[in-house]
Amino acid sequence: MKLVTAVIKPFKLDDVKTGLKDIGVVGMTVTEVRGFGRQGGHTETYRGTEYQVDFLPKVKVEAIVEDGDVEGVVEALVAAARTDKIGDGKVWVTSVDELVRIRTGERGADAV
Amino acid sequence: MKLVTAVIKPFKLDDVKTGLKDIGVVGMTVTEVRGFGRQGGHTETYRGTEYQVDFLPKVKVEAIVEDGDVEGVVEALVAAARTDKIGDGKVWVTSVDELVRIRTGERGADAV
Amino acid sequence: MKLVTAVIKPFKLDDVKTGLKDIGVVGMTVTEVRGFGRQGGHTETYRGTEYQVDFLPKVKVEAIVEDGDVEGVVEALVAAARTDKIGDGKVWVTSVDELVRIRTGERGADAV
Amino acid sequence: MEPGDIAWVLVSAALVLFMTPGLALFYGGMDRSRNVLNMLMMNFWCLLIVPIVWVIAGFSLAYSGSGSFIGNLDWTLLSDLGIAAEDAGGDGGKLILAAIFLGMFAVITPALISGAVADRMKFSAWAIFVPAWILLVYCPVSFWIYGGVWGDGLTGWLGVRGSLDFAGGTVIHVNAGIAALAAVLLLGKRKGWPREGHPPHSMPLVMLGTGILWFGWFGFNAGSAFAANGTAIQAFMNTFLAAAAGGLVWGVVERIKDGHFTNLGVASGIVAGLVAITPGAGYVSGMSPIWIGAAAGLICAFAVRLKFKAGYDDALDVVGVHFVGGLIGSLLIGLFADPEFFGAEFEAGLLNGGGIGLLVEQFIANAVTIVFSFIVTALILLAIKAAIGIRVSDEEEDSGLDVSQHAETAYNVGEVTMGRG
Amino acid sequence: MEPGDIAWVLVSAALVLFMTPGLALFYGGMDRSRNVLNMLMMNFWCLLIVPIVWVIAGFSLAYSGSGSFIGNLDWTLLSDLGIAAEDAGGDGGKLILAAIFLGMFAVITPALISGAVADRMKFSAWAIFVPAWILLVYCPVSFWIYGGVWGDGLTGWLGVRGSLDFAGGTVIHVNAGIAALAAVLLLGKRKGWPREGHPPHSMPLVMLGTGILWFGWFGFNAGSAFAANGTAIQAFMNTFLAAAAGGLVWGVVERIKDGHFTNLGVASGIVAGLVAITPGAGYVSGMSPIWIGAAAGLICAFAVRLKFKAGYDDALDVVGVHFVGGLIGSLLIGLFADPEFFGAEFEAGLLNGGGIGLLVEQFIANAVTIVFSFIVTALILLAIKAAIGIRVSDEEEDSGLDVSQHAETAYNVGEVTMGRG
Amino acid sequence: MEPGDIAWVLVSAALVLFMTPGLALFYGGMDRSRNVLNMLMMNFWCLLIVPIVWVIAGFSLAYSGSGSFIGNLDWTLLSDLGIAAEDAGGDGGKLILAAIFLGMFAVITPALISGAVADRMKFSAWAIFVPAWILLVYCPVSFWIYGGVWGDGLTGWLGVRGSLDFAGGTVIHVNAGIAALAAVLLLGKRKGWPREGHPPHSMPLVMLGTGILWFGWFGFNAGSAFAANGTAIQAFMNTFLAAAAGGLVWGVVERIKDGHFTNLGVASGIVAGLVAITPGAGYVSGMSPIWIGAAAGLICAFAVRLKFKAGYDDALDVVGVHFVGGLIGSLLIGLFADPEFFGAEFEAGLLNGGGIGLLVEQFIANAVTIVFSFIVTALILLAIKAAIGIRVSDEEEDSGLDVSQHAETAYNVGEVTMGRG
Ligand SMILES: Nc1ncnc2c1ncn2[C@@H]1O[C@H](COP(=O)(O)OP(=O)(O)O)[C@@H](O)[C@H]1O
Ligand SMILES: Nc1ncnc2c1ncn2[C@@H]1O[C@H](COP(=O)(O)OP(=O)(O)O)[C@@H](O)[C@H]1O
Ligand SMILES: Nc1ncnc2c1ncn2[C@@H]1O[C@H](COP(=O)(O)OP(=O)(O)O)[C@@H](O)[C@H]1O
């Protein structure tokens, strides 16, 4: 099994959720994160003092999928999250050694 | 070394912490996340407009453990987090290439 | 490619960001987390009732880097995050099978 | 004036001042967290610019002289509004007190509109819109209904015809509500609306705002008696009961229709009830405020759903609550007005032994206000649009108006905030 | 009534109205974030239903006629409460003003109970409980102590015996506090209590609520003079000092016992001091309010810990603060009452040259109230339990009452919120 | 006193009480989330300890007798401050009313200082500092300006010389502002300042606090007329206009200099305007309050940037807003004072036909206050430092003062909070 992780723009979450559901992904875990990258940040001003905001709000989506589904999931993710503007984010894939469903104790692919 | 990750119901965090401590896990890192899965969400209503809340509050627990402890940790996690109701969450295991304790620079198993 | 993950003290984030930028890391993703470890927590009191706060605020930094850069990044992270006091946190490295830049679809090292 | 009357009107003025921050929180809590500061600032802007415009010219245009349509310039720059401290027991300072008290109303009226244009209006456009609207819409409409009352007697043409508006149902709520409609039609919908949802980012702020509004509204309505007398007492009671009835009925409608008794529904109903009792607060008695509040709660609970059908993006339901609620309350005076109870000379409502006359006058006053306000509001906005534009860019809308318009973020609670540049 | 007196009582009524949203925030901030909207709504429900019940029948039952135990129906539906606007200088509107001012007290009294039943009571059960409790508990107890004062003179049996309750120590705080105890005993403990902790989800809300309560309490106590006179002034001073002393002493107790001077401790002590001075606000003078506030701060700081020993889950300490604080304040009148200072006719306290008589009467009035309120409250809740149940299901409790009872979420600040269905 | 006057002063006192929680939220919102409860408690501490100190000795020292420099002990423990309820129409209770109203000012004055010392002062040191500062700084300075006015007539040496301070520009804002400077110089900078940024953790709290402050300031200024008369009306109008002008100008300065019209800028400007009009609220008329507020908005917007150049860490700009704003307002009386308008006997300002005399007196009164307050404040803090220290440890500063000083956390909104120990 593989863990597919995507860091995306927050307002794309709905599209990503729908995109993944459409190709049969039934579960995912989402985290609010802050991203630093080429996109750069913006400046805020409080009583004349400038603050540089380097970390921009992003959303991290994690989905564990079977090995054979990885490519499809990555493509769906990219398609759904893309706005063609800087800061769209990344998708990466890592290997999962073992997976368990807590409720049932099922393991491996059955647990997805 | 392995990284054991669990996504659990928030109110189970205390039990999980205790369960892991009991078998000798001395450290863990916890993140507030939102989960999408079979459990489904609920509906909220604001001035007559319905909103679908698909992402439910979950807590992610990450603990790095030595290879030999993985099975015990997974079992303790499952035992502590289980309510037998849908949405109990998942546990998964990935491989860690290297670990360093920042304070001392210790590496590998010493750093756990 | 490798994913370098660090759990650090929150007020060290600025130093870590600068440290990583200095050695050429151009992107990272940051998450607010809570850590449990040797550092222990503190006690709060509300109307005479004591509460034990075991989970302390930490920040998780994730950066994907090319294999050859891993050692340098780890060292920079440790150097920047170190205060020599308990609770400084950990750095760990895991393997990434694949990486995609959403905006362009670039893959692998080009996508970093 | 008696010290007791001065005390009551001063307190009432302070209460009405407090309503605008209350409204800001009420709206701000309903907004998304990335736009809340823009919402607060649209309201605070009214607190900054309107008092200045008011004392320079607004008060004079809205109240001075004895014309039918508009005031003269006698009271500009507060001239000719004398006081003499030792003369407090006489009428010393009465006009200054009026300028204060009525100035508070002028502040909050354009602030009401901000809820409709949320999340997409350029702040610079809003900054120009507010004083223009005060001078070109609010002052004339006020004069039509109240002109002359602070001089030798009522001369405003709608007031003279016999329409009633105790504390500003037509002048304030119908007027601002229809202006809000004009504004959202010109501004267009927010990106993603109505597909994308915008749940309130902080309901406790909304409920705090509701509490402040109700509290302040006692000054708004009962202070409009401009004395601490029986009319003030009854206006206070009416305000109390109509708010309760409005919140109760809106809550029950939601309970029946959608299954739950919600905080936002109750808050909306309380405000609807308060809006509806405003025009009649000093004209109705007994159980009438309950019927007026209940009618507003019932009808407005449905009216806020209209925008989805009609397709105008009235973000926080200014049309559905203030326009509709104000109109209901104003028309219901035609049924419930009770001159006998107050021992005062105004026409009785249909249900209190009067004829249809008052109802007709209420209808005329509101119709005239609606047409005038809609057209002039639209013209003002078209002019601003031609000059500098009225809507933020797509990127600004996406990143939120707090950052794009004000370079600020509402909440910096977490550990990952920002470093100095 | 004089305009000055009318002005003061109107303002006081507005202040007391504002206390209920203040109380909602005070309690809501202490609650967990998943139940805060239910807490707000339990309070706002009182703002909606009590005014209606009050003018229909409550005011009449609590105050009309000249019986010993309960009012008659003379003032139902506000009948026979005339005003005449021009008559403000006489007594025109006095009864309507009383109905308003006392109505505010009726609103907040059941609201006090909500803090005890937090996190587990069915909202529908609460919705029925509130009006039933007003009619069956609050109106009779009010009459026993105050019956007749708005007519030809005091006739309520406890009042006639000589017990004193200036602004509602017995009628409001002891009464609501003991009812809260009955309610939590019937409802049972929250899941996980006391093992699981419930730290306040937003201390700034708690402190804001505390500020609003103190502010409003000046209306509560000093407004109860029903005139802007020397008694009002002294009641105001007493309210100021007792709150400060209560907060100071509670804070110091925590500093000594637990090591820190906490915000929650200070907030609790301020409220305890305000509760305790309520019954005697118009009867004590000089440094007495400091002793009364300090006594409440000291004793209540310990009383809130009792629930862990006794095993009743009084979630936000209504018993420990309102019941205990109200009782302390009411009994201490027996020591500190000072008729000479006020130039008024009531019995002097033990320390001011009086006998034990007043203390005995205070004891009797509270004992009677405690027994009656406890029993009738329990009966009302048992009836509701039999009819529709009083406690939410386990799942509803787990998921939080905001979602389960009101289909709302308090905060939607982050990026991952919700889409429209 | 007339009931109307009593009513107005009582309401004003309640409004000023409410300002301190408002100030707490204003400051607390600007602070970081880990220090907000410490900030709230520094303010609430003033609400607890000052009333007690005030009635024991403060009021007497600040106002009794007929000396030039300090009061006597005639009114300690509230002795000799009688009322007689029936005598309310006469002067019964006037002194108690004064003790109340002026006590509210004593509460908020040291609270102002808390904004400067934020994030690093030991709470125990603050706890001792406040009452010491009231007795050693605030009472004498008050007496110099107002001593004797509640007895047989003004005898305080600065007041007798002819300096004017209607509601406390010198006594409160300049005094607290310069004390704040002394305090931050002794305390030293916060760790990381000015490199590390401290953006406000909750701007909605800041704006709520601003709203409460403005609302309460009507009581502060217009209540200082101590009657509901023409002076109160004009002071109210002045307060309204100066706040608006201050906020407007500060906002515009930021718009021009930094590119945006910010909420924090507007909030700061409103407060600066309010501060500046305080000393002259009952002495100026017409458009003058606009010029005074605008001057404060303009100058303070630059003054808050001084600290970066001068290197003192005035965390929330108490010096830049209260000291500078108070001084501006106090000196501008020398230009704008208008005795004719008020029909009262005080010197006219330069622009109203007076000579330079009043300006000189204003200058002297402020200079004396600045020197005295700076020195005595520093001495008090040095004494406390020697005894118990005034600054928290590095670890306490890092972990935040909420946890280290009060064992509390402001927000527990998420799912990962805490378990009972
Ligand atoms: N090397 C990296 N490791 C981890 N996360 C990264 C890395 N580079 C970028 N990111 C994440 O992706 C987001 C977008 O990256 P950015 O460089 O701004 O634009 P783009 O994705 O268009 O190249 C960042 O905000 C950050 O969250
Ligand atoms: N494929 C997946 N990848 C990542 N997280 C998942 C996946 N499936 C489920 N989850 C996480 O587990 C939680 C519980 O899953 P769900 O399907 O609702 O119930 P169950 O665990 O009982 O099967 C989800 O809310 C989500 O956070
Ligand atoms: N085994 C572990 N797995 C995951 N995270 C850990 C582990 N041990 C510690 N951590 C994280 O590192 C932080 C610091 O660890 P701690 O034991 O307190 O001190 P130190 O890093 O100095 O050994 C913890 O708060 C936690 O977030």
Side-chain angles (χ1 to χ4, degrees), chain F residues 95-364:
Chain F
L95 278 179
I96 295 181
L97 189 54
I100 290 170
F101 184 64
L102 299 167
M104 300 302 177
F105 288 70
V107 166
I108 202 169
T109 308
L112 293 173
I113 303 171
S114 66
V117 302
D119 302 357
R120 59 205 190 281
M121 188 164 179
K122 260 187 168 174
F123 181 70
S124 52
W126 176 258
I128 296 169
F129 173 72
V130 171
W133 192 86
I134 285 291
L135 294 173
L136 300 177
V137 180
Y138 184 75
C139 288
V141 173
S142 292
F143 197 92
W144 299 347
I145 298 205
Y146 303 118
V149 289
W150 297 99
D152 300 328
L154 191 64
T155 62
W157 75 282
L158 289 173
V160 163
R161 288 185 58 98
S163 79
L164 298 176
D165 192 3
F166 192 71
T170 306
V171 170
I172 290 172
H173 296 285
V174 169
N175 192 359
I178 197 71
L181 182 61
V184 299
L185 290 176
L186 281 170
L187 266 177
K189 307 168 193 177
R190 287 169 292 174
K191 284 181 68 177
W193 187 88
R195 190 181 42 76
E196 231 178 78
H198 305 106
H201 91 278
S202 174
M203 280 302 303
L205 273 195
V206 174
M207 302 314 282
L208 168 61
T210 306
I212 294 175
L213 285 171
W214 194 344
F215 175 52
W217 224 296
F218 289 121
F220 201 96
N221 286 353
S224 289
F226 217 75
N229 58 13
T231 302
I233 292 172
Q234 184 59 34
F236 195 111
M237 175 61 105
N238 289 338
T239 305
F240 185 36
L241 294 178
L248 185 60
V249 170
W250 190 312
V252 169
V253 168
E254 289 204 344
R255 179 74 172 73
I256 292 169
K257 238 182 106 62
D258 306 323
H260 291 90
F261 200 89
T262 70
N263 281 265
L264 187 60
V266 164
S268 309
I270 288 171
V271 173
L274 289 165
V275 167
I277 198 61
T278 297
Y283 303 123
V284 306
S285 67
M287 293 284 120
S288 303
I290 297 183
W291 309 132
I292 293 174
L298 178 69
I299 298 173
C300 293
F302 289 95
V304 295
R305 299 170 195 220
L306 267 181
K307 66 181 180 186
F308 295 112
K309 299 225 175 77
Y312 58 89
D313 181 9
D314 174 16
L316 308 178
D317 297 311
V318 179
V319 179
V321 175
H322 293 274
F323 174 69
V324 176
L327 198 58
I328 292 168
S330 188
L331 295 177
L332 288 180
I333 300 177
L335 302 188
F336 291 119
D338 186 358
E340 206 180 317
F341 181 86
F342 292 92
E345 301 222 342
F346 51 83
E347 244 180 289
L350 254 180
L351 303 180
N352 272 312
I356 191 90
L358 181 55
L359 192 57
V360 170
E361 287 310 322
Q362 294 305 101
F363 184 84
I364 292 173

Side-chain angles (χ1 to χ4, degrees), chain E residues 94 231 275 301 335 395:
Chain E
K94 186 174 175 182
T231 302
V275 167
L335 302 187
E395 285 80 48

Side-chain angles (χ1 to χ4, degrees), chain B residues 2-4 25-30 61-65 99-104 106 110-112, chain C residues 7-9 33-40 54-59 84-92:
Chain B
K2 298 286 182 183
L3 171 66
V4 182
V25 175
V26 293
M28 69 191 89
T29 299
V30 165
V61 179
E62 289 169 303
I64 294 178
V65 298
L99 174 71
V100 191
R101 184 194 309 280
I102 293 174
R103 170 165 49 100
T104 58
E106 286 162 290
D110 290 343
V112 179
Chain C
V7 175
I8 61 170
K9 288 187 170 158
V33 298
R34 303 277 192 139
F36 175 88
R38 286 177 184 75
Q39 186 183 1
D54 279 332
F55 292 102
L56 299 175
K58 300 279 169 191
V59 165
D84 292 328
K85 298 223 187 78
I86 196 162
D88 274 354
K90 318 272 174 193
V91 181
W92 64 81

